[in-house]
Coordinates of all heavy atoms in Angstrom, one line a residue:
S27 N -16.6 46.3 153.8 CA -15.9 45.4 154.5 C -16.6 43.9 154.6 O -15.9 42.9 154.4 CB -15.6 45.8 155.9 OG -15.1 44.9 156.6
D28 N -18.0 44.0 154.7 CA -18.7 42.7 154.7 C -18.6 42.0 153.4 O -18.5 40.9 153.2 CB -20.1 42.9 155.2 CG -20.2 43.2 156.6 OD1 -19.2 42.6 157.3 OD2 -21.1 43.9 157.1
N29 N -18.7 43.0 152.4 CA -18.6 42.5 150.8 C -17.4 41.8 150.6 O -17.2 40.9 150.0 CB -19.0 43.6 150.0 CG -20.4 43.9 150.0 OD1 -21.3 43.2 150.4 ND2 -20.8 45.2 149.5
E30 N -16.3 42.3 151.1 CA -15.0 41.9 150.9 C -14.7 40.6 151.5 O -14.2 39.6 151.0 CB -13.9 42.9 151.4 CG -13.7 44.2 150.5 CD -12.8 45.1 151.1 OE1 -11.9 44.7 151.8 OE2 -12.7 46.3 150.7
N31 N -15.2 40.4 152.8 CA -15.0 39.1 153.6 C -15.9 38.1 152.8 O -15.4 36.9 152.6 CB -15.6 39.3 155.0 CG -14.7 40.1 155.8 OD1 -13.5 40.2 155.5 ND2 -15.1 40.7 156.8
S32 N -17.1 38.4 152.3 CA -17.9 37.4 151.6 C -17.2 37.1 150.3 O -17.3 35.8 149.9 CB -19.3 37.9 151.4 OG -19.3 39.0 150.4
L33 N -16.5 37.9 149.6 CA -16.0 37.6 148.3 C -14.7 36.8 148.6 O -14.4 35.8 147.8 CB -15.5 38.9 147.6 CG -16.5 39.7 147.0 CD1 -15.9 41.0 146.4 CD2 -17.2 39.0 145.8
E34 N -13.9 37.0 149.7 CA -12.8 36.2 150.0 C -13.2 34.8 150.4 O -12.6 34.0 149.9 CB -11.9 37.1 151.1 CG -11.2 38.2 150.7 CD -10.6 38.9 152.0 OE1 -10.6 38.2 153.0 OE2 -10.1 39.9 151.7
S35 N -14.2 34.8 151.2 CA -14.6 33.3 151.6 C -15.1 32.6 150.3 O -15.0 31.4 150.3 CB -15.6 33.5 152.7 OG -16.8 34.0 152.1
T36 N -15.9 33.1 149.4 CA -16.3 32.7 148.2 C -15.1 32.1 147.4 O -15.2 31.1 146.9 CB -17.3 33.5 147.4 OG1 -18.2 34.0 148.2 CG2 -17.8 32.9 146.2
D37 N -14.1 33.0 147.2 CA -12.9 32.6 146.6 C -12.3 31.4 147.2 O -11.7 30.5 146.4 CB -12.0 33.8 146.4 CG -12.4 34.8 145.4 OD1 -13.3 34.7 144.6 OD2 -11.9 36.0 145.7
E38 N -12.1 31.4 148.6 CA -11.6 30.3 149.3 C -12.3 29.0 149.0 O -11.7 27.9 148.8 CB -11.3 30.6 150.7 CG -10.3 31.6 151.1 CD -10.4 32.1 152.7 OE1 -11.1 31.4 153.3 OE2 -9.9 33.0 152.9
Q39 N -13.7 29.1 149.0 CA -14.4 27.9 148.8 C -14.2 27.3 147.4 O -14.2 26.2 147.1 CB -16.0 28.2 149.0 CG -16.2 28.4 150.5 CD -17.6 28.9 150.6 OE1 -18.4 29.3 149.7 NE2 -18.1 29.0 152.0
A40 N -14.3 28.3 146.4 CA -13.9 27.9 145.0 C -12.7 27.1 144.8 O -12.7 26.3 144.1 CB -14.1 29.2 144.1
T41 N -11.6 27.7 145.3 CA -10.3 27.0 145.1 C -10.3 25.7 145.9 O -9.7 24.9 145.3 CB -9.2 28.0 145.6 OG1 -9.4 28.4 147.0 CG2 -9.1 29.1 144.7
A42 N -10.9 25.7 147.1 CA -11.0 24.3 147.7 C -11.8 23.3 146.9 O -11.3 22.3 146.8 CB -11.6 24.5 149.2
S43 N -12.9 23.8 146.4 CA -13.7 22.7 145.6 C -13.0 22.4 144.2 O -13.3 21.4 143.7 CB -15.1 23.4 145.3 OG -15.1 24.5 144.5
D44 N -12.2 23.4 143.7 CA -11.5 23.0 142.5 C -10.4 22.0 142.6 O -10.2 21.2 141.8 CB -10.8 24.4 141.9 CG -11.9 25.3 141.5 OD1 -12.9 25.0 141.1 OD2 -11.5 26.5 141.2
K45 N -9.9 21.9 143.9 CA -8.9 20.9 144.1 C -9.6 19.5 144.0 O -9.0 18.5 143.6 CB -8.3 21.1 145.4 CG -7.4 22.3 145.5 CD -6.8 22.4 146.9 CE -6.1 23.7 147.0 NZ -5.6 23.9 148.4
H46 N -10.8 19.4 144.4 CA -11.5 18.0 144.4 C -12.2 17.8 143.1 O -12.7 16.7 142.9 CB -12.4 17.9 145.6 CG -11.7 18.2 146.8 ND1 -10.8 17.1 147.4 CD2 -11.6 19.1 147.7 CE1 -10.3 17.7 148.5 NE2 -10.8 18.8 148.7
N47 N -12.4 18.8 142.2 CA -13.2 18.6 141.1 C -12.2 18.1 140.0 O -11.2 18.6 139.8 CB -14.0 19.7 140.5 CG -15.1 20.1 141.4 OD1 -15.7 19.2 142.1 ND2 -15.5 21.3 141.4
I48 N -12.6 17.0 139.2 CA -11.8 16.5 138.1 C -12.6 16.9 136.9 O -13.8 16.4 136.8 CB -11.4 15.0 138.2 CG1 -10.6 14.7 139.5 CG2 -10.7 14.6 137.1 CD1 -10.5 13.3 139.9
N49 N -12.1 17.5 136.0 CA -12.8 17.8 134.9 C -12.5 16.7 133.8 O -11.4 16.5 133.3 CB -12.4 19.2 134.2 CG -12.8 20.2 135.0 OD1 -13.9 20.2 135.6 ND2 -12.0 21.4 135.1
F50 N -13.6 16.0 133.3 CA -13.5 15.0 132.3 C -14.0 15.5 131.1 O -15.0 16.1 130.9 CB -14.3 13.7 132.6 CG -13.8 12.9 133.8 CD1 -14.4 12.9 135.1 CD2 -12.6 12.1 133.7 CE1 -13.9 12.4 136.2 CE2 -12.2 11.3 134.7 CZ -12.7 11.6 135.9
K51 N -13.1 15.6 130.0 CA -13.6 15.9 128.7 C -14.3 14.8 128.0 O -13.9 13.7 128.0 CB -12.3 16.3 127.8 CG -11.5 17.4 128.3 CD -10.3 17.6 127.4 CE -9.4 18.8 127.9 NZ -8.3 19.0 127.3
P52 N -15.5 15.3 127.4 CA -16.4 14.2 126.8 C -15.5 13.8 125.5 O -14.8 14.5 124.9 CB -17.6 14.9 126.4 CG -17.2 16.4 126.4 CD -16.0 16.6 127.4
I53 N -15.7 12.5 125.2 CA -15.0 11.9 124.0 C -15.8 12.0 123.0 O -17.0 11.5 122.9 CB -14.6 10.4 124.3 CG1 -13.7 10.4 125.4 CG2 -13.9 9.9 123.1 CD1 -13.4 8.9 125.9
S54 N -15.3 12.6 121.8 CA -16.2 12.7 120.6 C -16.2 11.2 119.9 O -15.1 10.7 120.0 CB -15.7 13.9 119.8 OG -14.5 13.7 119.2
P55 N -17.2 11.1 119.2 CA -17.1 9.8 118.4 C -16.0 9.7 117.4 O -15.5 8.6 117.1 CB -18.5 9.8 117.5 CG -19.3 10.8 118.3 CD -18.4 11.8 119.0
S56 N -15.5 10.7 116.9 CA -14.4 10.7 116.0 C -13.1 10.4 116.6 O -12.2 9.8 115.9 CB -14.3 12.1 115.2 OG -13.9 12.9 116.2
T57 N -13.0 10.5 117.8 CA -11.7 10.1 118.4 C -11.6 8.6 119.0 O -10.7 8.1 119.4 CB -11.4 11.1 119.8 OG1 -12.3 10.9 120.7 CG2 -11.1 12.4 119.3
V58 N -12.8 8.1 119.0 CA -12.9 6.6 119.4 C -12.5 5.8 118.2 O -13.2 5.9 117.2 CB -14.2 6.2 120.0 CG1 -14.4 4.9 120.3 CG2 -14.5 7.1 121.3
T59 N -11.6 4.9 118.5 CA -11.2 4.0 117.1 C -11.8 2.7 117.5 O -11.7 2.1 118.7 CB -9.7 3.8 116.9 OG1 -9.2 3.5 118.2 CG2 -9.1 5.3 116.6
K60 N -12.3 2.1 116.6 CA -12.8 0.7 116.7 C -11.7 -0.4 116.2 O -11.1 0.1 115.2 CB -14.2 0.6 116.0 CG -15.2 1.2 116.4 CD -16.6 1.2 115.7 CE -17.7 1.8 116.3 NZ -18.9 1.7 115.6
K61 N -11.8 -1.4 116.9 CA -10.8 -2.4 116.4 C -11.3 -3.2 115.1 O -12.5 -3.5 115.2 CB -10.6 -3.5 117.5 CG -9.2 -3.5 118.0 CD -9.0 -4.6 119.0 CE -7.6 -4.7 119.4 NZ -7.3 -5.7 120.4
R62 N -10.5 -3.4 114.2 CA -10.9 -4.1 113.1 C -11.0 -5.7 113.4 O -10.0 -6.1 113.9 CB -9.9 -3.8 111.9 CG -10.3 -4.3 110.5 CD -9.5 -3.8 109.6 NE -9.9 -4.4 108.2 CZ -9.1 -4.2 107.2 NH1 -8.0 -3.4 107.1 NH2 -9.4 -4.8 106.1
K63 N -11.9 -6.4 112.9 CA -12.0 -7.8 113.1 C -11.0 -8.5 112.3 O -10.7 -8.0 111.1 CB -13.5 -8.3 112.8 CG -14.5 -7.9 113.7 CD -15.8 -8.5 113.4 CE -16.7 -8.0 114.5 NZ -18.1 -8.8 114.2
R64 N -10.4 -9.5 112.9 CA -9.4 -10.3 112.4 C -10.0 -11.1 111.2 O -11.1 -11.8 111.3 CB -8.8 -11.1 113.3 CG -7.5 -11.9 112.8 CD -6.9 -12.6 114.0 NE -5.7 -13.4 113.4 CZ -5.9 -14.5 112.9 NH1 -7.0 -15.0 112.8 NH2 -4.8 -15.2 112.4
H65 N -9.4 -11.1 110.0 CA -9.8 -11.8 108.9 C -8.8 -13.1 108.6 O -7.7 -12.8 108.5 CB -9.9 -11.0 107.6 CG -10.3 -11.7 106.5 ND1 -11.6 -11.7 105.9 CD2 -9.7 -12.4 105.5 CE1 -11.7 -12.3 104.8 NE2 -10.5 -12.8 104.6
Q66 N -9.3 -14.3 108.5 CA -8.5 -15.4 108.3 C -8.6 -15.5 106.8 O -9.6 -16.0 106.2 CB -8.9 -16.6 109.1 CG -7.8 -17.8 109.0 CD -8.2 -18.7 110.0 OE1 -9.1 -18.7 110.8 NE2 -7.3 -19.8 110.1
W67 N -7.4 -15.4 106.1 CA -7.5 -15.6 104.7 C -7.2 -16.9 104.3 O -6.4 -17.8 104.9 CB -6.3 -14.7 104.0 CG -6.5 -13.3 104.5 CD1 -6.0 -12.6 105.5 CD2 -7.0 -12.3 103.6 NE1 -6.4 -11.2 105.5 CE2 -7.0 -11.1 104.2 CE3 -7.6 -12.4 102.3 CZ2 -7.4 -9.9 103.7 CZ3 -8.0 -11.2 101.8 CH2 -8.1 -9.9 102.4
T68 N -8.0 -17.3 103.2 CA -7.8 -18.7 102.7 C -6.7 -18.7 101.6 O -6.4 -17.7 101.0 CB -9.2 -19.3 102.0 OG1 -9.4 -18.4 100.9 CG2 -10.2 -19.3 103.2
I69 N -6.3 -19.9 101.2 CA -5.3 -20.0 100.1 C -5.8 -19.6 98.9 O -5.2 -19.0 98.0 CB -4.9 -21.5 100.0 CG1 -4.2 -22.0 101.4 CG2 -3.8 -21.8 98.8 CD1 -3.9 -23.5 101.4
E70 N -7.2 -19.7 98.6 CA -7.7 -19.3 97.4 C -7.9 -17.8 97.4 O -8.0 -17.2 96.3 CB -9.2 -19.8 97.4 CG -9.3 -21.3 97.1 CD -9.1 -22.0 98.3 OE1 -9.3 -21.7 99.4 OE2 -8.7 -23.4 98.1
E71 N -7.8 -17.1 98.5 CA -7.7 -15.7 98.5 C -6.2 -15.1 98.4 O -6.0 -14.1 97.8 CB -8.3 -15.0 99.7 CG -9.7 -15.3 99.9 CD -10.3 -14.8 101.2 OE1 -9.7 -15.3 102.3 OE2 -11.3 -14.3 101.2
N72 N -5.3 -15.9 99.0 CA -3.9 -15.5 98.9 C -3.3 -15.4 97.5 O -2.5 -14.5 97.2 CB -3.1 -16.4 99.9 CG -3.5 -16.4 101.2 OD1 -4.3 -15.6 101.6 ND2 -2.8 -17.2 102.1
L73 N -3.5 -16.7 96.8 CA -2.9 -16.7 95.5 C -3.2 -15.7 94.5 O -2.3 -15.2 93.8 CB -3.1 -18.3 94.9 CG -2.3 -19.4 95.8 CD1 -2.8 -20.7 95.3 CD2 -0.8 -19.1 95.7
P74 N -4.5 -15.4 94.4 CA -4.8 -14.4 93.5 C -4.2 -12.9 93.8 O -3.7 -12.1 93.1 CB -6.2 -14.2 93.5 CG -6.7 -15.6 93.9 CD -5.7 -16.0 94.9
A75 N -4.0 -12.6 95.2 CA -3.3 -11.4 95.6 C -1.8 -11.4 95.2 O -1.4 -10.4 94.8 CB -3.5 -11.3 97.1
V76 N -1.3 -12.6 95.3 CA 0.1 -12.7 95.0 C 0.3 -12.5 93.4 O 1.2 -11.8 92.8 CB 0.9 -14.1 95.3 CG1 2.2 -14.2 94.9 CG2 0.8 -14.2 96.9
A77 N -0.6 -13.1 92.6 CA -0.7 -13.0 91.2 C -0.8 -11.5 90.7 O -0.2 -10.9 89.9 CB -1.7 -13.9 90.5
C78 N -1.7 -10.8 91.5 CA -2.1 -9.4 91.2 C -0.8 -8.7 91.5 O -0.4 -7.7 90.7 CB -3.2 -8.9 92.1 SG -3.6 -7.3 91.9
F79 N 0.0 -8.9 92.6 CA 1.2 -8.2 92.8 C 2.3 -8.4 91.7 O 2.9 -7.5 91.2 CB 1.8 -8.7 94.1 CG 3.3 -8.3 94.3 CD1 3.6 -7.0 94.5 CD2 4.3 -9.2 94.1 CE1 5.0 -6.6 94.6 CE2 5.6 -8.9 94.2 CZ 6.0 -7.6 94.4
E80 N 2.4 -9.6 91.3 CA 3.2 -9.9 90.1 C 2.9 -9.1 88.9 O 3.8 -8.8 88.0 CB 3.2 -11.5 89.8 CG 4.0 -12.2 91.0 CD 4.0 -13.7 90.9 OE1 3.0 -14.2 90.1 OE2 4.5 -14.4 91.7
K81 N 1.6 -8.9 88.7 CA 1.1 -8.1 87.5 C 1.7 -6.6 87.6 O 2.3 -6.0 86.7 CB -0.4 -8.1 87.3 CG -0.7 -9.2 86.4 CD -2.3 -9.0 86.0 CE -3.0 -10.2 86.2 NZ -4.5 -10.1 86.0
N82 N 1.3 -6.0 88.7 CA 1.6 -4.5 88.9 C 2.8 -4.2 89.6 O 3.2 -3.0 89.8 CB 0.3 -3.9 89.5 CG 0.0 -4.2 90.9 OD1 0.8 -4.7 91.6 ND2 -1.2 -4.0 91.3
D83 N 3.4 -5.1 90.2 CA 4.7 -5.1 91.0 C 4.7 -3.8 91.9 O 5.7 -3.0 92.0 CB 5.8 -4.7 89.9 CG 7.2 -5.1 90.6 OD1 7.3 -5.9 91.3 OD2 8.2 -4.4 90.1
N84 N 3.5 -3.6 92.7 CA 3.5 -2.6 93.6 C 2.7 -3.2 94.9 O 1.5 -3.4 94.8 CB 2.6 -1.4 93.0 CG 2.6 -0.2 93.9 OD1 2.7 -0.4 95.2 ND2 2.6 0.9 93.4
K85 N 3.5 -3.5 96.0 CA 2.8 -4.1 97.1 C 1.8 -3.2 97.8 O 0.7 -3.7 98.1 CB 3.9 -4.4 98.1 CG 4.9 -5.5 97.7 CD 5.9 -5.7 98.7 CE 6.9 -6.7 98.2 NZ 8.2 -6.5 98.8
H86 N 2.1 -1.9 97.8 CA 1.0 -1.1 98.5 C -0.3 -0.9 97.7 O -1.4 -1.1 98.3 CB 1.7 0.3 98.7 CG 0.8 1.3 99.5 ND1 0.4 1.2 100.9 CD2 0.0 2.4 98.9 CE1 -0.4 2.2 101.1 NE2 -0.8 2.9 100.0
K87 N -0.2 -0.8 96.4 CA -1.4 -0.8 95.6 C -2.1 -2.1 95.6 O -3.4 -2.0 95.8 CB -1.0 -0.4 94.1 CG -2.1 -0.1 93.3 CD -1.5 0.2 91.8 CE -2.8 0.3 91.0 NZ -2.2 0.7 89.5
T88 N -1.4 -3.1 95.6 CA -2.1 -4.5 95.6 C -2.7 -4.6 96.9 O -4.0 -5.2 96.9 CB -1.0 -5.5 95.3 OG1 -0.4 -5.3 94.1 CG2 -1.6 -7.0 95.3
A89 N -2.1 -4.4 98.0 CA -2.7 -4.6 99.3 C -4.0 -3.8 99.4 O -4.9 -4.2 100.0 CB -1.6 -4.1 100.4
Q90 N -4.1 -2.6 98.9 CA -5.3 -1.8 98.9 C -6.4 -2.3 98.2 O -7.5 -2.4 98.5 CB -5.0 -0.4 98.4 CG -4.2 0.6 99.4 CD -4.0 2.0 98.9 OE1 -3.8 2.2 97.8 NE2 -4.1 2.9 99.8
Q91 N -5.9 -2.8 96.9 CA -6.9 -3.5 96.0 C -7.5 -4.8 96.7 O -8.7 -5.0 96.6 CB -6.3 -3.8 94.8 CG -6.0 -2.6 93.9 CD -5.3 -3.1 92.6 OE1 -4.7 -4.1 92.5 NE2 -5.3 -2.1 91.7
V92 N -6.7 -5.6 97.3 CA -7.1 -6.8 97.9 C -7.8 -6.6 99.2 O -8.7 -7.5 99.6 CB -5.9 -7.7 98.1 CG1 -6.2 -9.0 98.8 CG2 -5.3 -8.1 96.7
G93 N -7.4 -5.6 99.9 CA -7.9 -5.2 101.3 C -7.3 -6.0 102.4 O -7.9 -6.3 103.5
C94 N -5.9 -6.1 102.3 CA -5.2 -6.8 103.3 C -4.1 -5.7 103.8 O -3.9 -4.8 103.0 CB -4.5 -8.1 102.8 SG -3.3 -7.8 101.6
A95 N -3.3 -6.1 104.8 CA -2.2 -5.2 105.1 C -1.0 -5.4 104.1 O -0.7 -6.6 103.8 CB -1.8 -5.4 106.6
T96 N 0.0 -4.4 104.0 CA 1.0 -4.6 103.3 C 1.9 -5.7 103.7 O 2.5 -6.5 102.9 CB 1.7 -3.3 103.0 OG1 0.8 -2.3 102.6 CG2 2.8 -3.3 102.0
K97 N 2.2 -5.7 105.0 CA 2.9 -6.7 105.6 C 2.4 -8.2 105.4 O 3.2 -9.0 105.1 CB 3.1 -6.5 107.1 CG 3.9 -7.4 107.8 CD 4.1 -7.2 109.3 CE 5.0 -8.3 109.9 NZ 5.2 -8.0 111.3
Q98 N 1.1 -8.3 105.4 CA 0.5 -9.6 105.1 C 0.8 -10.0 103.8 O 1.1 -11.2 103.4 CB -1.0 -9.6 105.4 CG -1.6 -10.9 105.3 CD -1.2 -11.8 106.3 OE1 -1.2 -11.6 107.5 NE2 -0.6 -13.0 105.9
L99 N 0.7 -9.0 102.8 CA 0.9 -9.4 101.3 C 2.4 -9.7 101.2 O 2.7 -10.8 100.4 CB 0.6 -8.1 100.5 CG 0.9 -8.3 99.0 CD1 0.0 -9.5 98.4 CD2 0.7 -7.1 98.3
R100 N 3.4 -9.1 101.9 CA 4.8 -9.5 101.8 C 5.0 -10.9 102.2 O 5.7 -11.6 101.7 CB 5.5 -8.7 102.7 CG 5.9 -7.3 102.1 CD 7.1 -6.6 102.8 NE 7.1 -6.6 104.2 CZ 6.5 -5.5 104.8 NH1 6.0 -4.5 104.3 NH2 6.3 -5.6 106.4
M101 N 4.3 -11.3 103.4 CA 4.3 -12.7 103.8 C 3.9 -13.6 102.7 O 4.4 -14.9 102.6 CB 3.7 -12.8 105.2 CG 4.2 -12.0 106.4 SD 6.0 -12.3 106.8 CE 5.9 -13.9 107.4
W102 N 2.8 -13.3 102.2 CA 2.2 -14.2 101.1 C 3.2 -14.4 100.0 O 3.4 -15.5 99.5 CB 0.9 -13.7 100.7 CG -0.2 -13.7 101.7 CD1 -0.3 -14.5 102.7 CD2 -1.4 -13.0 101.6 NE1 -1.5 -14.1 103.5 CE2 -2.2 -13.4 102.7 CE3 -1.9 -12.1 100.5 CZ2 -3.4 -12.7 102.9 CZ3 -3.2 -11.5 100.9 CH2 -3.9 -11.9 102.0
I103 N 3.8 -13.3 99.6 CA 4.7 -13.4 98.4 C 6.0 -14.1 98.8 O 6.5 -15.0 98.1 CB 5.2 -12.0 98.0 CG1 4.0 -11.2 97.4 CG2 6.3 -11.9 97.1 CD1 4.2 -9.6 97.3
Q104 N 6.5 -14.0 100.1 CA 7.5 -14.7 100.6 C 7.3 -16.2 100.7 O 8.2 -17.0 100.3 CB 7.8 -14.3 102.0 CG 9.2 -14.7 102.5 CD 9.5 -14.0 104.0 OE1 8.6 -13.5 104.5 NE2 10.8 -14.0 104.4
N105 N 6.0 -16.6 101.0 CA 5.8 -18.0 101.1 C 4.9 -18.5 100.0 O 4.1 -19.5 100.1 CB 4.9 -18.2 102.4 CG 5.5 -17.8 103.7 OD1 6.7 -18.1 103.8 ND2 4.9 -17.2 104.7
K106 N 5.1 -17.9 98.8 CA 4.4 -18.3 97.6 C 4.4 -19.8 97.3 O 3.5 -20.4 97.0 CB 4.8 -17.6 96.4 CG 4.2 -17.9 95.2 CD 4.7 -17.1 94.0 CE 4.0 -17.6 92.7 NZ 4.7 -17.0 91.5
N107 N 5.7 -20.4 97.3 CA 5.9 -21.8 97.0 C 5.1 -22.7 98.0 O 4.5 -23.7 97.6 CB 7.4 -22.1 97.0 CG 8.2 -21.4 95.8 OD1 7.5 -21.2 94.9 ND2 9.4 -21.2 96.1
E108 N 5.1 -22.4 99.2 CA 4.3 -23.1 100.3 C 2.9 -23.0 100.0 O 2.2 -24.0 100.1 CB 4.5 -22.5 101.6 CG 4.1 -23.5 102.8 CD 4.5 -23.0 104.2 OE1 5.5 -22.2 104.3 OE2 3.6 -23.2 105.0
L109 N 2.3 -21.9 99.6 CA 0.9 -21.6 99.3 C 0.6 -22.6 98.1 O -0.5 -23.1 98.1 CB 0.6 -20.3 99.1 CG 0.7 -19.3 100.3 CD1 0.5 -17.8 99.8 CD2 -0.4 -19.7 101.2
L110 N 1.4 -22.5 97.1 CA 1.2 -23.4 95.9 C 1.1 -24.9 96.2 O 0.2 -25.4 95.7 CB 2.2 -23.0 94.8 CG 2.1 -21.7 94.1 CD1 3.3 -21.4 93.3 CD2 0.8 -21.7 93.2
S111 N 2.0 -25.3 97.0 CA 2.0 -26.8 97.4 C 0.9 -27.1 98.2 O 0.1 -28.1 98.0 CB 3.4 -27.0 98.1 OG 3.4 -26.6 99.4
L112 N 0.4 -26.3 99.1 CA -0.8 -26.4 99.9 C -2.1 -26.4 99.0 O -3.0 -27.2 99.2 CB -1.0 -25.4 101.0 CG 0.0 -25.5 102.1 CD1 -0.1 -24.2 103.0 CD2 -0.3 -26.7 102.9
S113 N -2.0 -25.6 98.1 CA -3.2 -25.4 97.2 C -3.3 -26.8 96.3 O -4.4 -27.3 96.1 CB -3.1 -24.3 96.2 OG -4.1 -24.3 95.3
S114 N -2.1 -27.2 95.7 CA -2.2 -28.5 95.0 C -2.6 -29.7 95.9 O -3.2 -30.6 95.4 CB -0.9 -28.7 94.2 OG 0.1 -28.9 95.3
R115 N -2.1 -29.8 97.1 CA -2.5 -30.8 98.0 C -3.9 -30.9 98.2 O -4.6 -31.8 98.2 CB -1.7 -30.7 99.3 CG -0.6 -31.7 99.5 CD -0.2 -31.8 100.9 NE 1.1 -31.0 100.8 CZ 1.5 -30.4 102.0 NH1 1.0 -30.4 103.1 NH2 2.7 -29.7 101.9
K116 N -4.5 -29.6 98.3 CA -5.9 -29.4 98.8 C -6.8 -30.1 97.5 O -7.8 -30.7 97.8 CB -6.3 -28.1 99.0 CG -7.5 -27.9 99.8 CD -7.6 -26.4 100.3 CE -8.8 -26.2 101.2 NZ -9.0 -24.9 101.7
K117 N -6.3 -29.6 96.4 CA -7.1 -30.1 95.1 C -7.0 -31.6 95.0 O -7.9 -32.2 94.4 CB -6.5 -29.3 93.9 CG -6.9 -27.8 93.8 CD -6.4 -27.3 92.6 CE -6.7 -25.8 92.7 NZ -6.0 -25.0 91.5
G118 N -5.8 -32.2 95.3 CA -5.7 -33.6 95.2 C -6.4 -34.5 96.1 O -6.6 -35.6 95.8
E119 N -7.0 -33.9 97.1 CA -7.8 -34.7 98.1 C -9.0 -35.2 97.6 O -9.8 -35.0 96.8 CB -8.1 -33.8 99.3 CG -6.9 -33.6 100.2 CD -7.3 -32.7 101.5 OE1 -8.4 -32.1 101.7 OE2 -6.5 -32.6 102.3

């Protein structure tokens, strides 16, 4: 009987303490993602990337080779004429 009482009181204490304990899972290094630093591309880097795309006609492959995002490459292709005019203005200075 005494053993039963002590077991019951131990169980009650355990459940009471469980309500207040918060189990935090340790974060493994593989789940932590690091933010990539932003790269400001120059016109001298943009134009060869556009030329590379025009050669192989594959945006995804070109973006991987150049090291930029596919969306960024699309924007450079879309703004090719503006990049060319800026490049010629810069050379004329």
Side-chain angles (χ1 to χ4, degrees):
S27 172
D28 287 333
N29 287 339
E30 288 177 16
N31 287 340
S32 66
L33 287 174
E34 287 176 6
S35 66
T36 307
D37 288 340
E38 289 171 7
Q39 289 172 353
T41 55
S43 65
D44 287 343
K45 291 178 186 175
H46 299 291
N47 286 341
I48 299 173
N49 294 329
F50 291 104
K51 293 181 182 178
I53 298 174
S54 66
S56 63
T57 59
V58 176
T59 56
K60 292 184 180 179
K61 242 185 174 178
R62 189 172 173 184
K63 288 189 178 181
R64 186 176 177 275
H65 180 97
Q66 188 166 2
W67 298 86
T68 63
I69 297 168
E70 290 79 22
E71 292 172 315
N72 297 355
L73 290 174
V76 173
C78 182
F79 163 72
E80 289 172 346
K81 263 190 224 175
N82 64 22
D83 200 34
N84 186 334
K85 290 177 188 157
H86 182 72
K87 184 178 175 183
T88 303
Q90 284 182 330
Q91 288 174 346
V92 174
C94 68
T96 308
K97 182 178 179 179
Q98 186 64 58
L99 180 63
R100 275 196 316 268
M101 296 302 291
W102 294 340
I103 294 166
Q104 190 176 17
N105 298 323
K106 178 184 173 186
N107 292 333
E108 187 179 335
L109 290 171
L110 288 170
S111 69
L112 287 172
S113 175
S114 64
R115 253 192 260 156
K116 198 171 188 179
K117 288 179 184 175
E119 288 181 350

